[in-house]
C-alpha cells in the first residue's frame, strides 16, 4: 500500500518523481513501436499487394487525424484525464457516470488486451526461433503467463524502474529495425525486378488506380492495430516533468515524435515486406506470419542477427503491456474512487498491478494465448477510445466558436467512425469482449458504491458568515432539527418545531436551529459542504446542497463537535414506508430513510460513543 493516493490533488499531479518527455515517450512507445512486430504481416494479409497503399492511408489518418486530436486532448486535460473527462461534462448525473464507465470499459479492453496480445505475440516469436529448446514447443499459454507475471513484477518494483527498462528496449529495438529495413531496401535496389514484378501484379489484379485506392480504403480498418498508444500518451501526462504548460508541451512533443517515427517505419516496412516476401509466407503457419520483419532479418542478415532481432522484438512485445499498465494505473484512480465505485486501495499502484495482472492471465487462458483471437477486441478498444477523443475535441471546438477546427475534427471523427464500423463488421468478437469488460466494470462499480455508501464522503465543510454567526451564538449547546424543505413558509417551520417539542420533550429555552439538505446530484460521491445561514420568521436555518442527505448531516455534526467542543444533537421523525425501498432511494437519489443511515455513518466515522453526536428519532 506504499504510495496510496487518497488526496485528489496528489492523484491529479501524479507521482513525485517526474521524467523528461522523451523517456515517457519510450514507456508509451513500447506499445506503439512494438506493433512493428506484427503490423506488416497483418497489412499483407488484409491488403495483399495493396499493403503499402493501405498503410499509407493509415499513416495519413494517424498524422492528420489521431495526432491533431490528441494534441488538443493533451492541452485540455493536462492532468492525464484524457478524452473521457472532456466527455464526462456533457452527460449529467447517473447517465454521465454510466457513460464514463462504458468508455472505461473500452479503454480497459484496449489496455488489458494490449498486455495479453503483446505477450502472446512475444511467445510466438520465441517459439518460432530456431535456437529455442524443443521442450517449449506447444507451451504457448504457459510461456505467455510467465511473460505477464514478469511484467507485473517490474511494476511492483516501481514506475521509475519501468521507464528505465522502456528506454533501453525502445532504443535497441528501433535501432535493429532501422538496420533490417535498410538492409531490405538495399536488397530491393539490388533486385529491381522485384519492384517491377510487384507493379505488374498490381496492374494485372486491379483495373485502375481508383480501384486500388478504393480497395485500400476498404481494408484500412483491419490495420487499426497500428494506431495504438495515443490515449496512453495522454494518460501518463502527470509523469512528464515541469509545470502544467511544460507538461502540455512535453506531451505534444511526445505524441508527435512517436507518430512520425512510427509512420516512417510503417511505410518502409510494409513496402519491403510486400515486395520481398512471398505472399503464402504471411498466412497461418507461414514463416512470416506475425513476424514479417523477423523473417527478413533471418533471410538477409543471418540467423545470429535474426536471433538478436527476435530477442529485441520479444522483449519489446513483452514490455508493450507496460504502457497499458501505466495507462491503467494512471486512469483508474481518477474516476472509480471519485465515484465511490472502487475501494480506497485502488489509489495505490501495487494492488492495481496485481489485479490487472490476474485479469491478463485469465484472458490469456480463455483465448489460449492466440494473437488472432484477441486482435478484434484490441482494435475495437483502440478505435472507440480514439473516436471518443475525436468527438470530445469536436464539441470543444464548437463550444469555443472555432468553425474551422470543428469541421476538421468532425471529419476526423467521421473517418474514425467508418474505421470502427468496418472493424466491428469484420470482427464482431471485439464488441463482445468489450461488452464483457463494460458489464464487469459496471457490476463491480455498483457493488463497490453500495458497500461504500455509508462512508462520510465529505472532504471539507465551509460556513458562510451568517452560518458562522449562528454557530458562535449556540457555542457548545447545539440542537439541530432536520427538516425536509417544502414550502418553507412560517407554518412549515412552526409545525416542525411543535412536532419536535412533542416527540422529543425539548425545553422551549434550548437554542434550536433547523438544518435542510437539498440533493443536487446524487450520482456524485465525494463532496464539499458549503453551509449557508438563513433566517426566516425568527427561525435560524442552516442550508446545504449535497449529493447525499445522511452523509452530509453526519459530516456537519462532526464538524460542529470539533468546532465547539460540545457534542451536538439532531432530531428526526420516523419516515413512513418500506425500509428496503428507502435504502434503494438512498443509494440512487441520496435521500431515503435518513435517521438510521445518518446514525450508521456517524458510528463508522466515530467509534467512541461518548464523542459521537446524538441522533434522536421520534
Amino acid at each position: 500500500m506504499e504510495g496510496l493516493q487518497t488526496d485528489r490533488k496528489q492523484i491529479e499531479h501524479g507521482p513525485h518523481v517526474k521524467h523528461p518527455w522523451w523517456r515517457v515517450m519510450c514507456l508509451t512507445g513500447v506499445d506503439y513501436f512494438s506493433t512493428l512486430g506484427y503490423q506488416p504481416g497483418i497489412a499483407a494479409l488484409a491488403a495483399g499487394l495493396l499493403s503499402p497503399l493501405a498503410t499509407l492511408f493509415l499513416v495519413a489518418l494517424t498524422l492528420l487525424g489521431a495526432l491533431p486530436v490528441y494534441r488538443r486532448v493533451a492541452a485540455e486535460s493536462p492532468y492525464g484525464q484524457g478524452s473521457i473527462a472532456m466527455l464526462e461534462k456533457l452527460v449529467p448525473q447517473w447517465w454521465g457516470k454510466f457513460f464514463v464507465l462504458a468508455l472505461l470499459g473500452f479503454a480497459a479492453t484496449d489496455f488489458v488486451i494490449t498486455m495479453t496480445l503483446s505477450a502472446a505475440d512475444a511467445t510466438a516469436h520465441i517459439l518460432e526461433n530456431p535456437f529455442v529448446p524443443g521442450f517449449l514447443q506447444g507451451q504457448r499459454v504457459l510461456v505467455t503467463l510467465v511473460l505477464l507475471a514478469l511484467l507485473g513484477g517490474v511494476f511492483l518494483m516501481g514506475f521509475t524502474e519501468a521507464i528505465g527498462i522502456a528506454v533501453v528496449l525502445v532504443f535497441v529495438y528501433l535501432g535493429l529495425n532501422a538496420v533490417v529495413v535498410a538492409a531490405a531496401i538495399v536488397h530491393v535496389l539490388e533486385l529491381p525486378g522485384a519492384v517491377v514484378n510487384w507493379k505488374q501484379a498490381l496492374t494485372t489484379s486491379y483495373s485502375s488506380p481508383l480501384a486500388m485506392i478504393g480497395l485500400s480504403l476498404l481494408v484500412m480498418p483491419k490495420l487499426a492495430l497500428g494506431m495504438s498508444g495515443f490515449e496512453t500518451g495522454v494518460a501518463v501526462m502527470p509523469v512528464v516533468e515541469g509545470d502544467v504548460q511544460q507538461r502540455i508541451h512535453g506531451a505534444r512533443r511526445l505524441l508527435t515524435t512517436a507518430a512520425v517515427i512510427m509512420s516512417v517505419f510503417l511505410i518502409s516496412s510494409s513496402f519491403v515486406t510486400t515486395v520481398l516476401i512471398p505472399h503464402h509466407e504471411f498466412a497461418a503457419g507461414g514463416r512470416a506470419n506475425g513476424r514479417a520483419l523477423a523473417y527478413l532479418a533471418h533471410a538477409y542478415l543471418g540467423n545470429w542477427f535474426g536471433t538478436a532481432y527476435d530477442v529485441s522484438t520479444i522483449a519489446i512485445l513483452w514490455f508493450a503491456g507496460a504502457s497499458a499498465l501505466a495507462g491503467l494505473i494512471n486512469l483508474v484512480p481518477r474516476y472509480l474512487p471519485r465515484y465511490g465505485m472502487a475501494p480506497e486501495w485502488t489509489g495505490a499502484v501495487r494492488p492495481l498491478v496485481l489485479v490487472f495482472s490476474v485479469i491478463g492471465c485469465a484472458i490469456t487462458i480463455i483465448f489460449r494465448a492466440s494473437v488472432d483471437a484477441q486482435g478484434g477486441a484490441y482494435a475495437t478498444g483502440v478505435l472507440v477510445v480514439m473516436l471518443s477523443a475525436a468527438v470530445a475535441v469536436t464539441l470543444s471546438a464548437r463550444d469555443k466558436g472555432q468553425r474551422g477546427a470543428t469541421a476538421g475534427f468532425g471529419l476526423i471523427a467521421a473517418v474514425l467512425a467508418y474505421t470502427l464500423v468496418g472493424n466491428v463488421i469484420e470482427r464482431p468478437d471485439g464488441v463482445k469482449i468489450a461488452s464483457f469488460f463494460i458489464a464487469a466494470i459496471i457490476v463491480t462499480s455498483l457493488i463497490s458504491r453500495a458497500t461504500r455508501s455509508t462512508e462520510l464522503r465529505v472532504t471539507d465543510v465551509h460556513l458562510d458568515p451568517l452560518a458562522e454567526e449562528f454557530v458562535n451564538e449556540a457555542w457548545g449547546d447545539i440542537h439541530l432539527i432536520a427538516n425536509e424543505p417544502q414550502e418553507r413558509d412560517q407554518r412549515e417551520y412552526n409545525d416542525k418545531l411543535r412536532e419536535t417539542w412533542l416527540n422529543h420533550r425539548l425545553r422551549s429555552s434550548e437554542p434550536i436551529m433547523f438544518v435542510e439538505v437539498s440533493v443536487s446530484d446524487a450520482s456524485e460521491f465525494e463532496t464539499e459542504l458549503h453551509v449557508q445561514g438563513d433566517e426566516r420568521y425568527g427561525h435560524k436555518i442552516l442550508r446545504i446542497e449535497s449529493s447525499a442527505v445522511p452523509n452530509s448531516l453526519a459530516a456537519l455534526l462532526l464538524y460542529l463537535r470539533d468546532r465547539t467542543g460540545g457534542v451536538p444533537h439532531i432530531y428526526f421523525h420516523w419516515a413512513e414506508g418500506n425500509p428496503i425501498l428507502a435504502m434503494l432511494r438512498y443509494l440512487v437519489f441520496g435521500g431515503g430513510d435518513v435517521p438510521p443511515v445518518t446514525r450508521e455513518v456517524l458510528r463508522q466515522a466515530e467509534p467512541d460513543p461518548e464523542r459521537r453526536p446524538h441522533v434522536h428519532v421520534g
Side-chain angles (χ1 to χ4, degrees), residues 351-513:
L352 282 179
V353 171
L354 291 173
V355 168
F356 289 119
S357 296
V358 170
I359 293 173
C361 291
I363 290 174
T364 296
I365 294 171
I366 291 171
F367 290 99
R368 305 294 302 167
S370 169
V371 175
D372 294 336
Q374 299 174 72
Y378 184 39
T380 300
V382 170
L383 289 171
V384 168
V385 171
M386 281 193 168
L387 177 59
S388 69
V391 171
V393 296
T394 302
L395 296 174
S396 173
R398 186 199 64 182
D399 292 342
K400 294 178 181 178
Q402 300 168 340
R403 294 185 179 179
T406 303
F409 288 131
L411 179 61
I412 294 169
V415 174
L416 287 170
Y418 155 74
T419 308
L420 172 62
V421 171
N423 182 77
V424 170
I425 293 173
E426 179 70 23
R427 292 180 285 188
D429 55 308
V431 174
K432 297 175 184 177
I433 297 172
S435 300
F436 168 78
F437 273 95
I438 293 170
I441 285 178
I442 289 177
V443 170
T444 55
S445 296
L446 292 178
I447 292 173
S448 177
R449 178 70 180 247
T451 57
R452 296 187 62 190
S453 62
T454 52
E455 291 181 11
L456 202 57
R457 293 168 51 176
V458 172
T459 57
D460 208 352
V461 179
H462 305 280
L463 274 61
D464 74 355
L466 187 55
E468 288 270 6
E469 182 181 325
F470 291 164
V471 171
N472 291 335
E473 289 175 356
W475 192 267
D477 190 20
I478 294 181
H479 298 265
L480 301 178
I481 298 176
N483 180 49
E484 184 177 358
Q486 304 292 334
E487 301 297 327
R488 304 192 78 237
D489 56 11
Q490 185 172 11
R491 180 178 180 180
E492 177 181 336
Y493 293 107
N494 289 343
D495 288 348
K496 190 69 178 178
L497 187 60
R498 186 180 302 107
E499 175 192 78
T500 305
W501 281 338
L502 291 174
N503 287 343
H504 303 288
R505 301 296 187 263
L506 276 176
R507 296 187 301 273
S508 58
S509 60
E510 288 178 317
I512 293 295
M513 284 187 289

Side-chain angles (χ1 to χ4, degrees), residues 9 13 29 89 116 232 253 266 313 331 341-342 370-371 388 422 504 530 546 548 552 562:
K9 292 182 179 178
H13 291 284
K89 304 171 186 176
T116 58
T232 311
R253 292 180 70 180
L266 283 176
T313 305
L331 198 63
M341 293 179 171
S370 169
V371 175
S388 69
H504 303 288
H530 295 275
S546 178
S552 302
D562 297 338

Side-chain angles (χ1 to χ4, degrees), residues 554 557-558 561 566-570 598-616:
L557 291 167
L558 292 171
R561 180 203 65 185
V567 180
H569 299 254
I570 189 167
T598 302
R599 200 266 177 185
E600 177 60 20
V601 176
L602 286 169
R603 188 188 67 82
Q604 292 187 20
E606 177 50 75
D608 184 1
E610 297 297 326
R611 302 191 69 245
R612 190 183 301 153
H614 301 293
V615 176
H616 306 269

Side-chain angles (χ1 to χ4, degrees), residues 32-33 62-63 67 230 254-264:
Y32 194 22
F33 299 142
T62 299
L63 296 179
L67 180 58
F230 283 96
L254 177 159
L255 294 168
T256 303
T257 304
V260 171
I261 291 173
M262 191 62 179
S263 297
V264 172

Side-chain angles (χ1 to χ4, degrees), residues 151-429:
L151 177 66
V154 171
F155 269 84
L156 289 178
M157 290 191 295
F159 212 86
T160 300
E161 289 79 359
I163 289 182
I165 294 173
V167 170
V168 174
L169 290 179
V170 165
F171 274 87
V172 171
Y173 183 67
L174 292 182
L176 292 176
N177 269 284
V179 173
V180 173
V181 171
I185 290 174
V186 169
H187 200 74
V188 169
L189 295 176
E190 291 174 350
L191 296 173
V195 178
V196 172
N197 292 337
W198 173 59
K199 289 182 177 179
Q200 288 178 345
L202 281 176
T203 54
T204 303
S205 303
Y206 305 100
S207 58
S208 68
L210 286 177
M212 298 179 193
I213 293 172
L215 288 172
S216 297
L217 289 173
L218 285 175
V219 300
M220 190 184 68
K222 299 179 182 180
L223 278 60
L225 293 179
M227 294 178 65
S228 63
F230 283 96
E231 189 72 24
T232 311
V234 174
V236 299
M237 281 182 68
V239 185
V240 179
E241 65 181 6
D243 58 23
V244 172
Q245 289 304 316
Q246 290 171 326
R247 183 188 300 174
I248 292 172
H249 181 65
R252 285 178 158 182
R253 292 180 70 180
L254 177 159
L255 294 168
T256 303
T257 304
V260 171
I261 291 173
M262 191 62 179
S263 297
V264 172
F265 273 112
L266 283 176
I267 293 172
S268 57
S269 63
S270 67
F271 173 71
V272 295
T273 53
T274 302
V275 171
L276 295 176
I277 300 177
H279 188 69
H280 68 272
E281 295 286 7
F282 292 110
R287 290 178 296 167
N289 180 248
R291 55 190 302 275
L293 288 176
Y295 176 95
L296 293 180
H298 283 275
Y300 299 135
L301 296 168
N303 278 340
W304 285 107
F305 184 92
T307 298
Y309 181 82
D310 281 339
V311 171
S312 172
T313 305
I314 290 164
I316 199 166
L317 282 169
W318 159 67
F319 209 64
S323 66
L325 266 179
L328 284 168
I329 62 182
N330 277 282
L331 198 63
V332 168
R334 299 179 189 282
Y335 293 98
L336 296 186
R338 175 162 59 91
Y339 293 170
M341 293 179 171
E344 284 292 339
W345 55 258
T346 55
V349 170
R350 290 180 181 86
L352 282 179
V353 171
L354 291 173
V355 168
F356 289 119
S357 296
V358 170
I359 293 173
C361 291
I363 290 174
T364 296
I365 294 171
I366 291 171
F367 290 99
R368 305 294 302 167
S370 169
V371 175
D372 294 336
Q374 299 174 72
Y378 184 39
T380 300
V382 170
L383 289 171
V384 168
V385 171
M386 281 193 168
L387 177 59
S388 69
V391 171
V393 296
T394 302
L395 296 174
S396 173
R398 186 199 64 182
D399 292 342
K400 294 178 181 178
Q402 300 168 340
R403 294 185 179 179
T406 303
F409 288 131
L411 179 61
I412 294 169
V415 174
L416 287 170
Y418 155 74
T419 308
L420 172 62
V421 171
N423 182 77
V424 170
I425 293 173
E426 179 70 23
R427 292 180 285 188
D429 55 308

